[in-house]
Amino acid sequence: MRIGLSSSLKHDTPSQWAEKMKGLGCGAVVFPVDYTAPEELIEAYAGAAKKAGLVIAEVGAWCNPVAPAETERRAAMERCIGQLKLADKIGANCCVNIAGSTGSR
């Protein structure tokens, strides 16, 4: 089993992020950028994790793909698709989300 944090901690570079995680004893991480990040940055974070021996355990979507408002629902579905593609691209173990709600808050 590997231990990880949901926080990406304060950092300035992908390598600093990976070093901090490793320094805390983490073996697993939540990917700290989303699918809208520049490709070079995504690759830098994935590379830093690999170099440090960190498993990318999770990419988070965290949005409501069944929202009653069509614009919110469409945006959430776009984010879900983007985050799933990102998870596949970087070899993350999973992409997580909430079930969402079709009702009002």
Side-chain angles (χ1 to χ4, degrees), residues 2-21:
R2 293 178 180 243
I3 303 292
L5 300 174
S6 61
S7 171
S8 59
L9 306 174
K10 185 173 178 357
H11 64 277
D12 296 315
T13 65
S15 59
Q16 184 185 60
W17 163 76
E19 289 168 15
K20 282 187 168 191
M21 290 297 183

Side-chain angles (χ1 to χ4, degrees), residues 77-92:
M77 286 300 293
E78 182 178 323
R79 178 167 175 76
C80 287
I81 291 166
Q83 290 297 85
L84 283 164
K85 287 179 179 179
L86 173 62
D88 281 347
K89 181 190 314 187
I90 63 172

Side-chain angles (χ1 to χ4, degrees), residues 25-101:
C26 293
V29 292
V30 173
F31 204 63
V33 296
D34 73 2
Y35 77 102
T36 64
E39 187 64 32
E40 308 81 42
L41 187 60
I42 290 170
E43 289 174 6
Y45 274 103
K50 184 175 183 174
K51 184 177 178 184
L54 297 167
V55 170
I56 300 172
E58 175 182 309
V59 167
W62 303 116
C63 57
N64 185 359
V66 295
E70 184 175 350
T71 54
E72 181 183 352
R73 186 174 57 250
R74 285 183 186 270
M77 286 300 293
E78 182 178 323
R79 178 167 175 76
C80 287
I81 291 166
Q83 290 297 85
L84 283 164
K85 287 179 179 179
L86 173 62
D88 281 347
K89 181 190 314 187
I90 63 172
N93 285 350
C94 72
C95 181
V96 296
N97 202 0
I98 55 173
S101 173

